[in-house]
């Protein structure tokens, strides 16, 4: 009994098994068939060219101040309630609509602030902000 002996009777097949190689090549071929049309898919267009600068129009800022006694100031000018309503209506008609910055003293009654806010809303102003001071 001979174990591991080499004799001329043993079958030795010197050919290479090409089945795995063919499988890999077919997979690569399918990948290339799918991806190449996607990479070259483009439509050539002759688009018109125009040179322009962006037109960024910043809205005007209206400074509306209320002092401790309830006096209303429009950009530093003292006005009454009738003038306030008229100026708000005029400002609401402009394009772009201005921003209303409301400054109120700490001791101003809330009722006066609410009246000014109500007048701004009734006049058509939609952009309003409150300006506060930082503590020192």
């Amino acid at each position: 009994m001979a174990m591991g002996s080499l004799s001329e009777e043993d079958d030795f097949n010197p050919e290479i098994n090409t089945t795995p190689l063919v499988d890999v090549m077919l997979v690569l071929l399918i990948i290339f068939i799918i991806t190449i049309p996607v990479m070259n898919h483009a439509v050539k267009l002759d688009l018109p060219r125009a040179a322009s600068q962006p037109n960024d129009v910043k809205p005007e800022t209206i400074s509306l101040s209320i002092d401790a006694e309830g006096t209303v100031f429009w950009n530093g000018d003292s006005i009454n309630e009738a003038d306030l309503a008229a100026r708000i209506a005029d400002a609401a008609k402009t394009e772009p609509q201005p921003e209303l910055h409301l400054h109120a003293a700490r001791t101003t009654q809330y009722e006066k602030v609410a009246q000014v806010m109500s007048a701004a809303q009734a006049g058509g102003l939609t952009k309003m902000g409150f300006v506060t001071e930082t503590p020192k």
Side-chain angles (χ1 to χ4, degrees):
M1 182 172 186
M3 295 188 77
S5 65
L6 292 175
S7 63
E8 294 180 21
E9 298 172 4
D10 290 339
D11 278 342
F12 181 74
N13 189 359
E15 295 180 18
I16 297 174
N17 186 4
T18 58
T19 305
L21 180 65
V22 171
D23 289 343
V24 169
M25 294 306 291
L26 285 174
V27 168
L28 288 174
L29 179 67
I30 291 171
I31 289 173
F32 285 128
I33 287 173
I34 291 172
T35 58
I36 286 180
V38 172
M39 291 173 24
N40 291 332
H41 183 70
V43 177
K44 301 280 184 184
L45 293 176
D46 186 20
L47 297 174
R49 291 179 175 81
S52 65
Q53 297 295 328
N55 190 9
D56 292 336
V57 178
K58 297 195 178 194
E60 177 188 354
T61 301
I62 299 169
S63 177
L64 195 64
S65 303
I66 307 172
D67 66 1
E69 288 80 33
T71 308
V72 179
F73 297 92
W74 181 280
N75 288 336
D77 299 331
S78 177
I79 59 171
N80 58 18
E81 290 185 25
D83 278 344
L84 176 65
R87 287 189 185 190
I88 287 176
D90 289 340
K93 294 175 187 173
T94 61
E95 282 297 324
Q97 197 173 63
E99 296 177 0
L100 184 68
H101 291 181
L102 184 61
H103 304 261
R106 286 180 19 155
T107 56
T108 303
Q109 292 185 2
Y110 179 72
E111 179 182 5
K112 189 63 179 177
V113 175
Q115 287 173 354
V116 170
M117 290 172 49
S118 176
Q121 183 181 15
L125 285 179
T126 58
K127 298 178 183 179
M128 180 186 300
F130 294 99
V131 179
T132 60
E133 293 182 5
T134 57
K136 296 179 183 176

